[in-house]
Every structure is written in C-alpha cells, then in structure tokens.
C-alpha cells in the first residue's frame, strides 16, 4: 500500500503534466464507434468476445491503441449491426495515444463503460515533452486526469521484467523547463581583505 505522504510528489508530478495546453485535456468521446485492424481475428460468440492478434490497431475518436494482442468483450446485444464493446484487454507492447499525449506499458484494460484506461508494467506517460514512468497508470477519459504510481506488473521500465506484482516502486520522470534568456553576470570585483 502506498502511504499518503508518498502521493504528494506524485500529485506534484501530475500537476505539472496537467499544465500542458488545454487541448490535450479534452474529453474523449467514449460513445464513438471502435474501429480495429489486425492480422488475425477469432470470434468467440458464446463467450461474447473477439480475439485480435498481430499488429492490432484500435481507434476510437481521437484515441489509438496499438498492441500485439487484444480481447474485446461485448454485450450480447447488437447495435447498428455490431456488438456493443464493454471492455478491451490489450497485451504486448501496448501504446495508447491521444492528442498531445502517449502512454506505453506491457498491459492495458479499457473499461468502456467507466471511461477508464488502466495500464501496468513499465508504464511511461509522455505529454508536451514531459515524461513520467512508473508501474501503473490510470487515465480518466472524461476528465483527462492521469494518475501514475510505482505499483503494478513488473514495477519498472526494465524490458523483460517478470510479471510479478510489485509494491512500493518509484515514479520517475523528467520535466522541461522554460528556456529563459541568459544575461552575462559581471564578475565580482576583487575586494582587498580587511587588515587585522
């Protein structure tokens, strides 16, 4: 369990990420149709799911999800000739991109009904030139708020890390600093030492 005191630096980190232009924080249209492309598709109608594999590309409105393998769970109801997707599980080099924001990790779950994406395993979030890495990332698509912590699968950005649950990991990052014009500072004048 992460202590509340450990969340303060994370909140500061995310506040800096949130300082990006407002356009990047626009609300995602979770009601938009979900388009996909993949090398292979397997429809498991009795289980109400579709398995996609091989360079999977999922697109919904302005958001794109790329992965090696994706499972789409859907309700039994058909709307406009297509099933209503309720959840997307992705694995294998997952990348989620939105305007001015991208995130990568080992695994991702998109809860379509709650409008929440959870990514785990060596997660990296990039926005407006800022980069934050950790073990787990939660993106609220309604608010644009991203929360990242050190727990999750693997707990680090190390390639090939095991899939074991990790607690107490660290969040790391780098922020850009606005470039300021530098002025030459005059060298201090040589002042004689006082006589004693």
């Amino acid at each position: 369990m992460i202590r509340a005191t450990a969340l303060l630096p994370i909140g500061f980190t995310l506040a800096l990420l949130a300082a990006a232009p407002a356009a990047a924080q626009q609300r995602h249209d979770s009601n938009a149709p979900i388009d996909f492309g993949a090398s292979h598709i397997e429809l498991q109608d009795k289980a109400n799911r579709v398995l996609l594999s091989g360079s999977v590309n999922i697109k919904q409105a302005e958001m794109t999800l790329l992965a090696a393998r994706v499972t789409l769970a859907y309700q039994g109801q058909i709307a406009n000739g297509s099933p209503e997707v309720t959840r997307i599980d992705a694995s294998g080099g997952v990348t989620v991109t939105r305007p001015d924001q991208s995130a990568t990790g080992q695994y991702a779950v998109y809860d379509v009904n709650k409008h929440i994406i959870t990514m785990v395993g060596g997660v990296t979030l990039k926005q407006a030139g800022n980069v934050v890495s950790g073990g787990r990332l939660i993106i609220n698509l309604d608010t644009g708020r991203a929360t990242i912590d050190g727990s999750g699968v693997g707990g680090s950005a190390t390639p090939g890390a095991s899939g074991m649950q990790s607690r107490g990991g660290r969040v790391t990052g780098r922020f850009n600093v606005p470039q300021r014009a530098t002025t030459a500072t005059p060298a201090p004048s040589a002042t004689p030492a006082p006589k004693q």
Side-chain angles (χ1 to χ4, degrees):
M1 186 81 170
I2 295 177
R3 295 185 183 125
T5 55
L7 293 178
L8 180 60
I10 295 169
F12 175 72
T13 299
L14 293 174
L16 289 174
L17 277 177
Q25 301 300 323
Q26 68 187 2
R27 181 184 171 116
H28 174 72
D29 182 7
S30 293
N31 293 321
I34 296 172
D35 296 316
F36 70 88
S39 298
H40 182 76
I41 182 171
E42 179 183 331
L43 178 62
Q44 297 179 346
D45 205 24
K46 290 184 180 180
N48 287 347
R49 66 181 174 208
V50 175
L51 304 179
L52 303 170
S53 59
S55 301
V56 181
N57 182 329
I58 304 284
K59 177 121 174 106
Q60 184 183 39
E62 298 293 319
M63 182 177 73
T64 302
L65 183 148
L66 305 173
R69 182 178 168 93
V70 171
T71 302
L72 292 98
Y74 61 90
Q75 296 177 351
Q77 304 163 333
I78 303 295
N80 299 326
S82 298
E84 294 182 5
V85 175
T86 57
R87 177 178 163 130
I88 298 174
D89 290 79
S91 63
V94 181
T95 300
V96 175
T97 56
R98 298 179 60 214
D100 196 37
Q101 183 182 72
S102 69
T104 59
Q106 293 175 9
Y107 309 98
V109 174
Y110 174 17
D111 186 326
V112 178
N113 294 330
K114 292 182 180 178
H115 310 171
I116 301 285
I117 295 176
T118 303
M119 298 182 76
V120 295
V123 176
T124 299
L125 175 66
K126 296 177 183 177
Q127 183 172 326
N130 300 309
V131 180
V132 179
S133 297
R136 178 178 58 184
L137 167 67
I138 299 171
I139 303 171
N140 183 319
L141 296 173
D142 287 339
T143 65
R145 180 179 178 190
T147 307
I148 195 165
D149 63 38
S151 66
V153 176
S156 71
T158 307
S162 68
M164 296 174 50
Q165 191 70 15
S166 172
R167 298 227 184 259
R170 296 183 56 84
V171 175
T172 60
R174 172 170 283 178
F175 296 110
N176 289 327
V177 177
Q179 300 300 306
R180 296 175 185 88
T182 57
T183 56
T185 307
S189 62
T191 313
K195 294 183 181 182
Q196 294 185 8

PDB file of all heavy atoms in Angstrom, residues 57-72:
ATOM      1  N   ASN A  57      -4.566  -2.697 -34.127  1.00  0.00           N
ATOM      2  CA  ASN A  57      -4.758  -1.252 -34.113  1.00  0.00           C
ATOM      3  C   ASN A  57      -6.223  -0.990 -33.798  1.00  0.00           C
ATOM      4  O   ASN A  57      -7.100  -1.366 -34.558  1.00  0.00           O
ATOM      5  CB  ASN A  57      -4.383  -0.677 -35.485  1.00  0.00           C
ATOM      6  CG  ASN A  57      -4.498   0.822 -35.559  1.00  0.00           C
ATOM      7  OD1 ASN A  57      -5.325   1.433 -34.899  1.00  0.00           O
ATOM      8  ND2 ASN A  57      -3.673   1.424 -36.393  1.00  0.00           N
ATOM      9  N   ILE A  58      -6.476  -0.346 -32.651  1.00  0.00           N
ATOM     10  CA  ILE A  58      -7.841   0.004 -32.233  1.00  0.00           C
ATOM     11  C   ILE A  58      -7.938   1.526 -32.288  1.00  0.00           C
ATOM     12  O   ILE A  58      -7.065   2.225 -31.782  1.00  0.00           O
ATOM     13  CB  ILE A  58      -8.129  -0.457 -30.787  1.00  0.00           C
ATOM     14  CG1 ILE A  58      -7.889  -1.950 -30.614  1.00  0.00           C
ATOM     15  CG2 ILE A  58      -9.513  -0.033 -30.329  1.00  0.00           C
ATOM     16  CD1 ILE A  58      -8.945  -2.830 -31.186  1.00  0.00           C
ATOM     17  N   LYS A  59      -9.010   2.056 -32.873  1.00  0.00           N
ATOM     18  CA  LYS A  59      -9.184   3.506 -32.956  1.00  0.00           C
ATOM     19  C   LYS A  59     -10.583   3.864 -32.505  1.00  0.00           C
ATOM     20  O   LYS A  59     -11.559   3.256 -32.928  1.00  0.00           O
ATOM     21  CB  LYS A  59      -8.962   3.972 -34.393  1.00  0.00           C
ATOM     22  CG  LYS A  59      -9.170   5.426 -34.620  1.00  0.00           C
ATOM     23  CD  LYS A  59      -7.925   6.078 -35.146  1.00  0.00           C
ATOM     24  CE  LYS A  59      -8.193   7.520 -35.523  1.00  0.00           C
ATOM     25  NZ  LYS A  59      -7.658   8.465 -34.626  1.00  0.00           N
ATOM     26  N   GLN A  60     -10.648   4.853 -31.598  1.00  0.00           N
ATOM     27  CA  GLN A  60     -11.936   5.403 -31.169  1.00  0.00           C
ATOM     28  C   GLN A  60     -11.774   6.913 -31.078  1.00  0.00           C
ATOM     29  O   GLN A  60     -10.962   7.411 -30.291  1.00  0.00           O
ATOM     30  CB  GLN A  60     -12.374   4.838 -29.815  1.00  0.00           C
ATOM     31  CG  GLN A  60     -13.762   5.320 -29.413  1.00  0.00           C
ATOM     32  CD  GLN A  60     -14.185   4.819 -28.050  1.00  0.00           C
ATOM     33  OE1 GLN A  60     -13.384   4.760 -27.129  1.00  0.00           O
ATOM     34  NE2 GLN A  60     -15.456   4.462 -27.927  1.00  0.00           N
ATOM     35  N   ALA A  61     -12.526   7.626 -31.879  1.00  0.00           N
ATOM     36  CA  ALA A  61     -12.435   9.087 -31.951  1.00  0.00           C
ATOM     37  C   ALA A  61     -10.973   9.487 -32.139  1.00  0.00           C
ATOM     38  O   ALA A  61     -10.333   9.039 -33.072  1.00  0.00           O
ATOM     39  CB  ALA A  61     -13.078   9.720 -30.725  1.00  0.00           C
ATOM     40  N   GLU A  62     -10.414  10.292 -31.249  1.00  0.00           N
ATOM     41  CA  GLU A  62      -9.037  10.783 -31.372  1.00  0.00           C
ATOM     42  C   GLU A  62      -8.014   9.890 -30.675  1.00  0.00           C
ATOM     43  O   GLU A  62      -6.849  10.263 -30.569  1.00  0.00           O
ATOM     44  CB  GLU A  62      -8.941  12.205 -30.784  1.00  0.00           C
ATOM     45  CG  GLU A  62      -9.799  13.223 -31.498  1.00  0.00           C
ATOM     46  CD  GLU A  62      -9.313  13.490 -32.916  1.00  0.00           C
ATOM     47  OE1 GLU A  62      -8.096  13.580 -33.121  1.00  0.00           O
ATOM     48  OE2 GLU A  62     -10.157  13.598 -33.820  1.00  0.00           O
ATOM     49  N   MET A  63      -8.437   8.739 -30.169  1.00  0.00           N
ATOM     50  CA  MET A  63      -7.546   7.859 -29.423  1.00  0.00           C
ATOM     51  C   MET A  63      -7.224   6.604 -30.235  1.00  0.00           C
ATOM     52  O   MET A  63      -8.089   6.038 -30.883  1.00  0.00           O
ATOM     53  CB  MET A  63      -8.207   7.440 -28.102  1.00  0.00           C
ATOM     54  CG  MET A  63      -7.329   6.559 -27.240  1.00  0.00           C
ATOM     55  SD  MET A  63      -8.110   6.171 -25.666  1.00  0.00           S
ATOM     56  CE  MET A  63      -9.368   5.014 -26.197  1.00  0.00           C
ATOM     57  N   THR A  64      -5.946   6.180 -30.158  1.00  0.00           N
ATOM     58  CA  THR A  64      -5.493   4.967 -30.834  1.00  0.00           C
ATOM     59  C   THR A  64      -4.813   4.059 -29.824  1.00  0.00           C
ATOM     60  O   THR A  64      -4.045   4.535 -28.985  1.00  0.00           O
ATOM     61  CB  THR A  64      -4.503   5.306 -31.961  1.00  0.00           C
ATOM     62  OG1 THR A  64      -5.134   6.191 -32.878  1.00  0.00           O
ATOM     63  CG2 THR A  64      -4.055   4.056 -32.696  1.00  0.00           C
ATOM     64  N   LEU A  65      -5.092   2.760 -29.886  1.00  0.00           N
ATOM     65  CA  LEU A  65      -4.447   1.763 -29.048  1.00  0.00           C
ATOM     66  C   LEU A  65      -3.778   0.754 -29.969  1.00  0.00           C
ATOM     67  O   LEU A  65      -4.430   0.215 -30.869  1.00  0.00           O
ATOM     68  CB  LEU A  65      -5.474   1.072 -28.156  1.00  0.00           C
ATOM     69  CG  LEU A  65      -4.940   0.049 -27.161  1.00  0.00           C
ATOM     70  CD1 LEU A  65      -5.804   0.042 -25.905  1.00  0.00           C
ATOM     71  CD2 LEU A  65      -4.865  -1.350 -27.740  1.00  0.00           C
ATOM     72  N   LEU A  66      -2.474   0.530 -29.749  1.00  0.00           N
ATOM     73  CA  LEU A  66      -1.718  -0.454 -30.517  1.00  0.00           C
ATOM     74  C   LEU A  66      -1.230  -1.534 -29.572  1.00  0.00           C
ATOM     75  O   LEU A  66      -0.790  -1.228 -28.465  1.00  0.00           O
ATOM     76  CB  LEU A  66      -0.509   0.205 -31.198  1.00  0.00           C
ATOM     77  CG  LEU A  66      -0.787   1.415 -32.085  1.00  0.00           C
ATOM     78  CD1 LEU A  66       0.518   2.042 -32.544  1.00  0.00           C
ATOM     79  CD2 LEU A  66      -1.642   1.021 -33.279  1.00  0.00           C
ATOM     80  N   ALA A  67      -1.275  -2.796 -29.996  1.00  0.00           N
ATOM     81  CA  ALA A  67      -0.819  -3.909 -29.156  1.00  0.00           C
ATOM     82  C   ALA A  67      -0.616  -5.143 -30.024  1.00  0.00           C
ATOM     83  O   ALA A  67      -1.077  -5.204 -31.172  1.00  0.00           O
ATOM     84  CB  ALA A  67      -1.836  -4.209 -28.056  1.00  0.00           C
ATOM     85  N   ALA A  68       0.041  -6.143 -29.447  1.00  0.00           N
ATOM     86  CA  ALA A  68       0.232  -7.408 -30.152  1.00  0.00           C
ATOM     87  C   ALA A  68      -1.036  -8.248 -30.111  1.00  0.00           C
ATOM     88  O   ALA A  68      -1.361  -8.960 -31.059  1.00  0.00           O
ATOM     89  CB  ALA A  68       1.392  -8.182 -29.537  1.00  0.00           C
ATOM     90  N   ARG A  69      -1.784  -8.153 -29.010  1.00  0.00           N
ATOM     91  CA  ARG A  69      -2.983  -8.989 -28.821  1.00  0.00           C
ATOM     92  C   ARG A  69      -4.033  -8.192 -28.054  1.00  0.00           C
ATOM     93  O   ARG A  69      -3.725  -7.510 -27.073  1.00  0.00           O
ATOM     94  CB  ARG A  69      -2.602 -10.242 -28.040  1.00  0.00           C
ATOM     95  CG  ARG A  69      -3.731 -11.211 -27.807  1.00  0.00           C
ATOM     96  CD  ARG A  69      -3.208 -12.441 -27.059  1.00  0.00           C
ATOM     97  NE  ARG A  69      -4.294 -13.251 -26.582  1.00  0.00           N
ATOM     98  CZ  ARG A  69      -4.809 -14.277 -27.243  1.00  0.00           C
ATOM     99  NH1 ARG A  69      -4.317 -14.628 -28.400  1.00  0.00           N
ATOM    100  NH2 ARG A  69      -5.799 -14.983 -26.740  1.00  0.00           N
ATOM    101  N   VAL A  70      -5.281  -8.308 -28.485  1.00  0.00           N
ATOM    102  CA  VAL A  70      -6.388  -7.586 -27.842  1.00  0.00           C
ATOM    103  C   VAL A  70      -7.595  -8.506 -27.750  1.00  0.00           C
ATOM    104  O   VAL A  70      -7.906  -9.231 -28.696  1.00  0.00           O
ATOM    105  CB  VAL A  70      -6.762  -6.311 -28.636  1.00  0.00           C
ATOM    106  CG1 VAL A  70      -8.041  -5.688 -28.103  1.00  0.00           C
ATOM    107  CG2 VAL A  70      -5.634  -5.297 -28.608  1.00  0.00           C
ATOM    108  N   THR A  71      -8.265  -8.464 -26.593  1.00  0.00           N
ATOM    109  CA  THR A  71      -9.541  -9.147 -26.416  1.00  0.00           C
ATOM    110  C   THR A  71     -10.612  -8.088 -26.204  1.00  0.00           C
ATOM    111  O   THR A  71     -10.491  -7.249 -25.315  1.00  0.00           O
ATOM    112  CB  THR A  71      -9.513 -10.096 -25.204  1.00  0.00           C
ATOM    113  OG1 THR A  71      -8.466 -11.053 -25.386  1.00  0.00           O
ATOM    114  CG2 THR A  71     -10.837 -10.821 -25.033  1.00  0.00           C
ATOM    115  N   LEU A  72     -11.657  -8.116 -27.020  1.00  0.00           N
ATOM    116  CA  LEU A  72     -12.786  -7.205 -26.867  1.00  0.00           C
ATOM    117  C   LEU A  72     -13.950  -7.994 -26.295  1.00  0.00           C
ATOM    118  O   LEU A  72     -14.385  -8.985 -26.906  1.00  0.00           O
ATOM    119  CB  LEU A  72     -13.201  -6.612 -28.213  1.00  0.00           C
ATOM    120  CG  LEU A  72     -12.218  -5.645 -28.855  1.00  0.00           C
ATOM    121  CD1 LEU A  72     -11.379  -6.351 -29.880  1.00  0.00           C
ATOM    122  CD2 LEU A  72     -12.974  -4.501 -29.484  1.00  0.00           C
TER     123      LEU A  72
END
